[in-house]
Amino acid sequence: MVVKCRRCLTNNAEVYLPHSNLSLCPDCFMLLTERKVKHTIDAYRMLSKNDRIGVAVSGGKDSSSLAYILNSLFGKLDMTLIYIDLGVPKYSQHCLEKVRSLAKMLNRELIVYSLEKELGFKIGDFKSTIYGRKICSACGAIKRYLFNKIAYDLGLTKVATGHNLDDTVEALFNFYLEGNIVSLLRLKPFLPKTHPKLVPKIKPLIKLTDMECLLYAGYRNLPIRTVECQFSRGSRMLRRKELLNMITEKIPNFKHQFIRSHYKRILPLLEKACGDQEDKIYECITCGMPTSLEGASCHFCKLVNLMKNLRARSERK
Ligand code: AMP
Ligand code: ZN
């Protein structure tokens, strides 16, 4: 039996969204997806008129959808795309081609920061260090630092990333399991400016599922990567994502309810209880950028230094 779209009641439905029990045609699905993002942006007051925004694009479905949606919702917004080339063989070049086509499609400037050109190493060089088994953690720290540094140097006022609902629930779930209050307090859809050198971060896709982002990118024909990173986060993360998907099969709005309860009910109480434990921010003794470490180099500078020492050692050999 052909199901009609629940919104326009005219076209045939192609998309079924279990969490809201909606069958939609592609046009209505795209429209509602864009509206959802607009609603998130308004609800958290993520953007203001004079913002100059940097969108961190990885070539993946989420950040490509994000850039496309922001571009269509706010045509006049000052928006620059930022890509970090981590030097992963095959993968980084493939992703770079995708973000180049995206920038062309949207007619927006793309800033490419190459780790190898700027700092003289590739992310894979961490393989022979203590980060060998957790390259993603070094990679994450480097990316976070650079999003902020690049945006700060360019005088941008916000950085947007494509973190979606599934990413966020998975991260929250882990922090709950670990009882990691500090990280729970930090994981927010909108991180305001807490230091003159910290550019506020926004996550406008926090209410879209993996599937919604994938379908949106597909229907809009966005250039997205088809190759996986060889260092892609391990099986533990995938197992947890699978587990959360199994729960969602039984309770379709599980993820939506999880983040709603967290942000509406739990987080305000946590913030109240931990008010005086708020992060102290210092400046890195090497680069001068903000860090939680007092009288020391920031995590990024430590990683860069590790690479420098590695190079010096191999040159001496
Ligand atoms: P991930 O940490 O890979 O889950 O990516 C989360 C978000 O960070 C993506 O949606 C992008 O907005 C951004 N991102 C990840 N990798 C890159 C990259 N190489 N260059 C620019 N932005 C990135
Ligand atoms: Zn530093």
Side-chain angles (χ1 to χ4, degrees):
M1 197 187 72
V2 179
V3 179
K4 291 283 175 205
C5 170
R6 265 272 294 281
R7 185 174 169 275
C8 66
L9 309 172
T10 314
N11 301 332
N12 290 342
E14 277 186 29
V15 179
Y16 176 65
L17 302 178
H19 54 272
S20 43
N21 190 22
L22 264 184
S23 297
L24 297 168
C25 70
D27 284 349
C28 290
F29 164 73
M30 287 186 273
L31 184 88
L32 290 188
T33 303
E34 287 156 11
R35 276 197 193 158
K36 251 188 231 174
V37 176
K38 174 81 169 55
H39 183 262
T40 306
I41 290 173
D42 291 343
Y44 289 97
R45 299 208 175 102
M46 290 181 175
L47 288 176
S48 45
K49 226 171 64 200
N50 297 324
D51 267 332
R52 298 187 58 213
I53 177 175
V55 183
V57 286
S58 62
K61 65 189 193 324
D62 307 309
S63 50
S64 298
S65 297
L66 171 65
Y68 188 95
I69 293 175
L70 289 178
N71 189 62
S72 17
L73 286 175
F74 310 99
K76 287 191 183 136
L77 186 69
D78 184 333
M79 179 172 119
T80 305
L81 310 185
I82 301 171
Y83 175 70
I84 297 173
D85 179 346
L86 297 149
V88 179
K90 287 192 190 134
Y91 175 81
S92 293
Q93 192 58 33
H94 170 76
C95 293
L96 176 59
E97 282 159 24
K98 300 296 172 189
V99 294
R100 281 218 166 106
S101 331
L102 181 73
K104 222 180 204 171
M105 183 177 192
L106 305 181
N107 197 18
R108 299 282 187 170
E109 187 189 357
L110 171 70
I111 309 259
V112 178
Y113 182 101
S114 154
L115 224 53
E116 193 170 22
K117 276 191 207 138
E118 305 286 338
L119 302 169
F121 64 86
K122 300 185 221 168
I123 208 69
D125 297 344
F126 281 100
K127 238 179 157 173
S128 58
T129 70
I130 47 160
Y131 287 91
R133 281 161 166 260
K134 40 177 189 164
I135 285 199
C136 293
S137 101
C139 183
I142 288 176
K143 283 189 293 193
R144 267 193 306 278
Y145 177 92
L146 287 175
F147 294 157
N148 186 70
K149 179 79 166 72
I150 295 167
Y152 175 73
D153 288 345
L154 290 171
L156 303 182
T157 57
K158 301 263 162 72
V159 172
T161 53
H163 293 94
N164 66 24
L165 177 73
D166 290 69
D167 302 330
T168 309
V169 170
E170 196 244 341
L172 286 176
F173 179 73
N174 285 333
F175 297 151
Y176 271 95
L177 274 187
E178 295 164 356
N180 189 341
I181 307 282
V182 173
S183 297
L184 276 176
L185 284 167
R186 270 193 215 141
L187 193 89
K188 288 184 196 164
F190 178 15
L191 273 181
K193 200 179 194 85
T194 47
H195 182 281
K197 291 184 189 167
L198 273 180
V199 180
K201 312 288 176 316
I202 59 171
K203 298 176 187 170
L205 303 191
I206 197 155
K207 295 211 178 127
L208 296 187
T209 61
D210 261 338
M211 188 48 85
E212 285 172 300
C213 294
L214 185 65
L215 287 170
Y216 186 87
Y219 281 127
R220 288 282 184 214
N221 235 333
L222 304 183
I224 56 171
R225 64 175 174 81
T226 49
V227 174
E228 276 298 322
C229 174
Q230 67 185 93
F231 305 118
S232 202
R233 268 172 294 180
S235 54
R236 202 168 96 171
M237 186 197 79
L238 289 180
R239 269 208 317 274
R240 292 207 172 145
K241 276 208 158 179
E242 248 169 50
L243 178 67
L244 292 168
N245 286 340
M246 274 158 64
I247 301 177
T248 310
E249 267 175 37
K250 305 271 180 215
I251 310 171
N253 70 345
F254 168 74
K255 290 175 189 165
H256 292 78
Q257 202 176 356
F258 191 97
I259 69 156
R260 202 176 324 119
S261 303
H262 176 74
Y263 285 118
K264 273 209 151 157
R265 308 266 175 245
I266 315 271
L267 188 61
L269 290 179
L270 273 183
E271 281 177 332
K272 222 182 201 172
C274 306
D276 53 353
Q277 287 179 29
E278 244 174 46
D279 288 350
K280 281 221 169 69
I281 305 177
Y282 307 93
E283 287 187 0
C284 167
I285 55 167
T286 309
C287 70
M289 292 303 281
T291 171
S292 57
L293 308 170
E294 187 177 6
S297 289
C298 69
H299 195 182
F300 174 83
C301 286
K302 284 185 177 150
L303 290 169
V304 172
N305 203 35
L306 180 65
M307 285 296 109
K308 250 190 219 155
N309 291 339
L310 196 71
R311 224 172 21 243
R313 224 178 304 145
S314 75
E315 276 162 14
R316 272 201 304 273
K317 270 186 201 158

